[in-house]
Amino acid sequence: MDAQGRGRADNIDPADQWVLNPNTGEYELRLTPSAPQSGVPRPRRGSPANAGPGAGTRARRAPERESPPTPSPDVPGPRRRRGAPAEPPPGRRKGRTKPKKSKAKKILLWTGGSMAFVLVAVSAAGYLYLKHLEGNVSTTDVGSAGKKGFSKDEAFNILIIGTDKRTGAGNEGYGDAGSVGHADTNILLHVSKDRTNATALSIPRDLIVDVPDCPTKQSDGTTKVVPGTQNVRFNTSLGQDGRDPGCTMRTVKAVTGIPVDHFMMADFNAVKTLTSAVDGVDVCVAHAVNDKESHLKLPAGKSKVEGEQALAFVRTRHSFGNQGDLDRIKVQQQFLGSLMRKMASSDTLTNPTKLISLAEAATKALTVDTGIGKVSTLKDVALELKKVPTKNITFTTVPVLDNPAEKVKATVVVNESQAPAVFDAIKNDVSFTAVKQKEKKEKAEVAARLKGTRSAAADIRVDIYNGGAPAGSAQETLNWLQNTEGVLKSSQLGNADATLSKTTLEYSPDQADQARKLADLMGLSASALKPGKSEKNSQGLPAIVLTLGKDFKGAGVSLTTPTKAPEVDKSTADKTVCAS
């Protein structure tokens, strides 16, 4: 029988069965069950909730009895049913009426019930709206090209792709009419682990690269490998020959060495809808613009653009710089910085209408990988990015040179003398802006590991393991140390138990001089040194332990990570720069 049925059967008003629990401060519904109850009754109405031992706590279920127990003189008897004749309590006048229910209690019950209904309704509406937003987002399974999920506790890299594919009305004047959707605009966004800074690295669409083989998921669930191709424009890493965004992610890693965790892709309509959702984005031009190609018309100085005009702004190149793609990239970077400021402004964040419009526009405009395909995950990504001060979001571009193979300069190649330092800084989570360093004391303690005496190379006793480096790296290192550096007391012991992202060197305190010398030879940073315990080598003698990680670049190649980013042509998201 349900609760209401039991209440009617016993002729008891359910409102009388709410009891204040002093442990929680909440009223609890105590229905009179058909099963026998504990011999300890709940407090009478009007008596203190905590009167007597054990008051306010849940009664333990009593064992079943064939007949009700005889109440003791100190324990009140069961409550009578309504309408039943009452026996006068000793010492009280017969016929005394039952006290009226507390008005405050009735109000509490009605208010509590209404509030519960409202909370349930709001929660259901919020859930349904999130599911609605989730239905807006398109996803692509990129397989092993990216990560399966998102972590709030790690640095992350997201490739932002703008395609030249035409969708929707009003885009006839942009891009190639029959384009399959190439990687027209590409920004690798790196967000630091401590969220103090971020770097947005633009990759020119006309950069000459080698596109690797690319496994792509087909509509029937099978996987097709699209063969790689050499010496082609970067933008053909998407769309061409059926390549998906995973191919573009793999190409970025092949060019920069930076692993890409996720991607976000949008077409022309995204610029229109996002700028309209925030009521326009502020831009600045050094001189008046009247571009016949993009139909952009702006006076000199500051303006607000949205919708069609915003799209024309980011597509314009003939009115800026040398009328090439590299100068258009700078304009796009300035635009994105302004869009970030507008999204993070109190005018947007405190306006529910704008937030809903922005949520609708963003989810409808985006295609993302399945690792971040849920709206709740996209929200987490946005909140982590919001932690980064706009003054520490750096926009820069892959250092490039004109393609020397061309007489008429149309494409560019990676500047091998400058680009590697930029890539290494991003890989090693180094900021391109001056940020307040955290945990300075800990950093000083780590740096101190390299300070002190060095042993002779011949005195170093080391065991070498492969913990994630290419196969054969441990043997290669052993040969190099013995034959080139004179570290004769070394041995190679195969694979480590765990895979490491970075090479480590573990040693006991009395071996610190050996560890410092080996660090010098290997080019290891102070963070690679791990004070701890040594192990016994094959002769039973203590040996330091060198474990080669994924960062291993080859025997004799320094593993010292950069602590300062190189000087680059850059801008930051907090400043307005006039396009010229």
Side-chain angles (χ1 to χ4, degrees):
M1 186 180 294
D2 61 16
Q4 291 179 340
R6 286 195 302 267
R8 284 193 300 268
D10 296 337
N11 201 21
I12 296 174
D13 188 343
D16 291 337
Q17 297 173 288
W18 287 81
V19 179
L20 178 67
N21 186 335
N23 295 326
T24 64
E26 302 288 342
Y27 279 87
E28 297 178 355
L29 182 62
R30 303 284 179 85
L31 296 173
T32 304
S34 56
Q37 301 297 298
S38 165
V40 181
R42 61 177 176 83
R44 297 177 183 176
R45 284 184 298 161
S47 64
N50 58 352
T57 61
R58 294 184 182 274
R60 295 178 180 176
R61 187 178 297 274
E64 294 186 4
R65 299 185 177 96
E66 295 181 358
S67 60
T70 303
S72 70
D74 298 326
V75 179
R79 298 174 61 172
R80 67 179 177 84
R81 296 181 181 178
R82 288 181 181 175
E87 295 183 6
R92 295 188 183 183
R93 290 179 299 170
K94 183 176 181 180
R96 183 176 178 181
T97 59
K98 180 181 176 181
K100 292 184 178 181
K101 288 191 270 299
S102 164
K103 185 176 181 180
K105 188 171 182 179
K106 285 186 176 181
I107 293 174
L108 175 65
L109 293 175
W110 277 105
T111 305
S114 301
M115 183 59 69
F117 176 79
V118 170
L119 289 174
V120 170
V122 170
S123 298
Y127 172 77
L128 292 175
Y129 185 64
L130 284 178
K131 299 304 290 184
H132 159 73
L133 290 177
E134 210 152 279
N136 291 343
V137 181
S138 299
T139 60
T140 298
D141 186 351
V142 297
S144 61
K147 288 188 174 180
K148 299 300 182 184
F150 176 75
S151 174
K152 298 180 183 180
D153 302 320
E154 298 176 352
F156 60 91
N157 301 314
I158 296 181
L159 181 63
I160 301 170
I161 306 172
T163 75
D164 61 353
K165 189 173 184 179
R166 294 180 179 181
T167 60
N171 293 325
E172 294 80 8
Y174 302 103
D176 299 328
S179 175
V180 292
H182 294 117
D184 208 36
T185 300
N186 309 277
I187 297 176
L188 180 61
L189 178 64
H190 169 80
V191 180
S192 69
K193 182 177 181 179
D194 61 8
R195 307 300 188 249
T196 62
N197 65 93
T199 303
L201 179 70
S202 290
I203 303 171
R205 66 175 188 176
D206 295 326
L207 178 68
I208 296 300
V209 298
D210 292 340
V211 177
D213 292 346
C214 180
T216 58
K217 295 281 186 178
Q218 306 299 299
S219 58
D220 61 359
T222 61
T223 298
K224 173 186 175 182
V225 177
V226 180
T229 182
Q230 289 73 47
N231 203 37
V232 294
R233 279 181 165 88
F234 181 89
N235 67 344
T236 60
S237 64
L238 177 67
Q240 200 83 4
D241 301 322
R243 295 188 178 102
D244 66 6
C247 301
T248 310
M249 296 167 70
R250 295 175 194 274
T251 304
V252 170
K253 184 176 181 181
V255 173
T256 66
I258 302 169
V260 183
D261 302 319
H262 305 286
F263 84 88
M264 294 182 179
M265 182 173 67
D267 58 21
F268 294 142
N269 279 328
V271 177
K272 295 182 182 181
T273 55
L274 287 174
T275 53
S276 296
V278 295
D279 289 341
V281 172
D282 297 324
V283 298
C284 181
V285 292
H287 54 78
V289 174
N290 186 1
D291 194 287
K292 296 180 180 179
E293 299 289 334
S294 68
H295 309 294
L296 177 67
K297 292 183 180 181
L298 286 178
K302 295 182 179 180
S303 299
K304 180 186 286 188
V305 296
E306 68 172 279
E308 189 72 30
Q309 194 178 32
L311 178 57
F313 182 81
V314 298
R315 295 294 300 169
T316 297
R317 67 174 177 176
H318 295 290
S319 297
F320 302 123
N322 63 6
Q323 302 185 18
D325 192 51
L326 294 179
D327 285 294
R328 178 166 59 177
I329 285 175
K330 293 181 181 180
V331 173
Q332 292 171 346
Q333 291 172 347
Q334 294 157 16
F335 174 84
L336 285 174
S338 182
L339 180 59
M340 286 181 176
R341 292 194 298 274
K342 189 63 179 285
M343 287 181 172
S345 69
S346 58
D347 182 51
T348 299
L349 296 178
T350 59
N351 187 321
T353 302
K354 283 186 180 180
L355 282 176
I356 291 176
S357 297
L358 186 58
E360 291 283 353
T363 51
K364 288 178 180 177
L366 291 176
T367 298
V368 301
D369 60 282
T370 52
I372 54 173
K374 292 185 177 180
V375 169
S376 57
T377 308
L378 288 173
K379 177 206 68 177
D380 290 340
V381 173
L383 291 177
E384 292 305 303
L385 181 57
K386 186 177 178 293
K387 295 177 182 179
V388 182
T390 53
K391 67 178 181 178
N392 290 332
I393 301 177
T394 301
F395 290 99
T396 190
T397 305
V398 173
V400 295
L401 298 170
D402 286 333
N403 188 350
E406 296 176 335
K407 291 183 179 180
V408 178
K409 304 303 181 185
T411 60
V412 293
V413 296
V414 172
N415 185 335
E416 296 296 346
S417 66
Q418 297 180 7
V422 174
F423 302 154
D424 284 347
I426 294 174
K427 276 192 295 185
N428 290 286
D429 207 18
V430 179
S431 175
F432 283 78
T433 57
V435 298
K436 184 178 181 181
Q437 296 295 327
K438 295 183 177 181
E439 302 172 349
K440 288 185 176 180
K441 181 179 179 181
E442 181 180 344
K443 290 180 181 293
E445 291 175 351
V446 171
R449 295 171 189 170
L450 287 176
K451 296 179 180 179
T453 60
R454 267 76 169 160
S455 70
D459 293 333
I460 298 174
R461 187 178 289 109
V462 57
D463 288 343
I464 307 167
Y465 293 89
N466 189 331
S473 295
Q475 185 62 48
E476 177 190 352
T477 302
L478 176 68
N479 295 339
W480 173 73
L481 286 175
Q482 290 184 343
N483 300 329
T484 305
E485 301 299 332
V487 183
L488 303 179
K489 300 175 183 177
S490 51
S491 56
Q492 186 269 112
L493 298 180
N495 293 330
D497 294 333
T499 299
L500 304 179
S501 59
K502 295 184 180 297
T503 297
T504 62
L505 181 59
E506 188 172 5
Y507 57 95
S508 61
D510 60 344
Q511 297 169 313
D513 56 343
Q514 295 181 42
R516 285 190 285 265
K517 179 61 177 179
L518 187 58
D520 291 345
L521 297 176
M522 296 283 297
L524 295 174
S525 63
S527 60
L529 273 63
K530 306 295 181 184
K533 297 180 180 180
S534 60
E535 70 175 19
K536 297 292 182 65
N537 66 6
S538 56
Q539 288 80 39
L541 299 173
I544 60 179
V545 179
L546 174 66
T547 306
L548 305 177
K550 292 181 179 180
D551 62 337
F552 180 76
K553 302 173 183 177
V557 181
S558 176
L559 291 174
T560 301
T561 57
T563 57
K564 184 178 180 181
E567 292 296 326
V568 293
D569 183 13
K570 65 184 181 183
S571 62
T572 52
D574 65 317
K575 295 179 181 178
T576 300
V577 180
C578 293
S580 59

